[in-house]
Amino acid sequence: MNEDLKVNVSGLPRDYLDAGAAGNVSAAVSSQVPGVEPEPELVVNPWDIVLCTSGTLISCENAIVVLIIFHNPSLRAPMFLLIGSLALADLLAGIGLIINFVFAYLLQSEATKLVTIGLIVASFSASVCSLLAITVDRYLSLYYALTYHSERTVTFTYVMLIMLWGTSICLGLLPILGWNCLQDESTCSVVRPLTKNNAAILSISFLFMFALMLQLYIQICKIVMRHAHQIALQHHFLATSHYVTTRKGVSTLAIILGTFAACWMPFTLYSLIADYTYPSIYTYATLLPATYNSIINPVIYAFRNQEIQKALCLICCGCVPSSLSQRAPSPSDV
């Protein structure tokens, strides 16, 4: 009697209540049956899509440079070896970004996280170190112009390549060998699973290399201006011509260094002051420009080079344009 009173108080028809009760019972039973609940939908972070797209563009662009240098026997000078090292490092960085996207949404595990972050750290470290090596090579080619094309230079280049890749691989192995924050999240940096100390070391190392590159490029500017002035005096060029030539060389160096700083400096400084508690959007917003540096590098260091342009034209159309074969190098090509 009490149950009838309780049901009638609701004011709903009896048959509706019975149908509702039956539905509730079936729902309760179905909720207790394992495997009936729908799987949660996979939500993809738009920032990860952008990073993956950037990685794809990086991989395609730098793969062209690597193939050109690898398949062209004439491109074996120290300068081209360093450009090839830069392209290979950026190629691996792009592949690392793609693998990171795949593993993050399709194969989630601690091992894949460590391997992916190790590859990304090693490749980007090799990229920055290759940029420093290219700067050193350019300085030596101008400062020791008479003895630059010698066996000693080739040996020194191979030593630089071994050192920079050895150092980069060691930095990439640190998270895999145990220097990570998977067991203690309070030590995480803005890039999990890198620790705060690991990120600080990488950031300080970058600032040191940037300062060294800045000093070398200042010296290169002085040498370029001095050489341009001497050439103008020997050939009796006008002062305006000397000014235009020198300005092109200095502008090129400023663009190279300014692009490098604009791409990497935001993420470097953010990694020093922030940790895992900061919103992830700030990490994405500063990391994305750093990846753009690997997109710009082939344009600055490879595709502007006259020899690489010739090799690319030979591959694409089987001929070399007369404008390339007749163009002489200038201070703006440094």
Side-chain angles (χ1 to χ4, degrees):
M1 179 67 66
N2 293 335
E3 292 179 358
D4 293 338
L5 290 175
K6 289 181 181 179
V7 173
N8 290 333
V9 167
S10 63
L12 295 176
R14 186 73 171 195
D15 54 352
Y16 181 85
L17 290 173
D18 292 341
N24 292 333
V25 171
S26 62
V29 172
S30 62
S31 64
Q32 295 177 0
V33 177
V36 176
E37 294 184 358
E39 296 182 358
E41 295 183 0
L42 182 64
V43 180
V44 180
N45 190 335
W47 286 98
D48 289 332
I49 297 177
V50 175
L51 283 176
C52 183
T53 304
S54 177
T56 304
L57 182 58
I58 291 171
S59 300
C60 297
E61 194 177 13
N62 286 278
I64 296 175
V65 180
V66 172
L67 291 175
I68 290 175
I69 295 177
F70 180 77
H71 286 288
N72 198 327
S74 63
L75 302 179
R76 293 296 182 268
M79 174 180 60
F80 296 113
L81 293 177
L82 295 174
I83 292 176
S85 172
L86 175 64
L88 178 60
D90 288 334
L91 172 61
L92 293 176
I95 294 174
L97 292 175
I98 298 173
I99 293 176
N100 178 67
F101 179 83
V102 174
F103 283 174
Y105 293 99
L106 301 179
L107 189 61
Q108 298 181 2
S109 67
E110 293 185 356
T112 56
K113 289 180 182 178
L114 294 176
V115 172
T116 304
I117 197 65
L119 175 61
I120 292 176
V121 168
S123 55
F124 277 122
S125 299
S127 176
V128 175
C129 291
S130 296
L131 290 175
L132 177 60
I134 291 174
T135 307
V136 173
D137 178 74
R138 286 179 169 179
Y139 172 76
L140 294 178
S141 66
L142 293 173
Y143 192 80
Y144 300 101
L146 297 179
T147 60
Y148 174 75
H149 299 284
S150 63
E151 289 297 327
R152 181 180 301 179
T153 302
V154 176
T155 303
F156 180 72
T157 301
Y158 280 112
V159 171
M160 282 198 301
L161 289 173
I162 293 173
M163 289 180 60
L164 75 87
W165 278 100
T167 303
S168 302
I169 292 173
C170 289
L171 291 174
L173 287 176
L174 288 179
I176 300 175
L177 296 178
W179 201 7
N180 56 70
C181 64
L182 293 179
Q183 304 300 326
D184 185 7
E185 192 161 342
S186 62
T187 62
C188 284
S189 66
V190 293
V191 179
R192 193 175 183 273
L194 289 181
T195 63
K196 179 70 175 176
N197 293 334
N198 195 344
I201 291 175
L202 293 174
S203 299
I204 294 174
S205 300
F206 168 82
L207 294 175
F208 173 77
M209 287 189 287
F210 176 75
L212 185 56
M213 289 177 61
L214 178 61
Q215 180 62 28
L216 288 173
Y217 272 123
I218 291 175
Q219 298 301 320
I220 290 174
C221 283
K222 293 180 180 179
I223 297 174
V224 169
M225 294 175 66
R226 184 168 63 249
H227 285 183
H229 180 67
Q230 293 174 353
I231 293 174
L233 291 178
Q234 291 176 1
H235 295 81
H236 305 288
F237 289 162
L238 296 177
T240 54
S241 176
H242 164 249
Y243 171 75
V244 171
T245 304
T246 305
R247 186 182 64 180
K248 284 184 178 180
V250 174
S251 299
T252 301
L253 296 177
I255 291 173
I256 291 173
L257 196 61
T259 301
F260 178 66
C263 290
W264 276 105
M265 199 61 72
F267 180 71
T268 301
L269 297 178
Y270 180 70
S271 298
L272 282 174
I273 63 176
D275 55 23
Y276 74 101
T277 60
Y278 282 62
S280 60
I281 187 174
Y282 297 147
T283 303
Y284 283 112
T286 54
L287 179 60
L288 191 60
T291 64
Y292 290 161
N293 185 243
S294 296
I295 299 176
I296 300 172
N297 283 338
V299 178
I300 294 179
Y301 295 95
F303 297 137
R304 288 179 64 253
N305 186 275
Q306 185 176 350
E307 298 300 323
I308 294 181
Q309 289 177 3
K310 291 180 180 179
L312 185 60
C313 290
L314 284 174
I315 294 175
C316 295
C317 59
C319 61
V320 179
S322 58
S323 59
L324 287 178
S325 59
Q326 297 176 359
R327 187 174 72 90
S330 66
S332 62
D333 294 331
V334 297

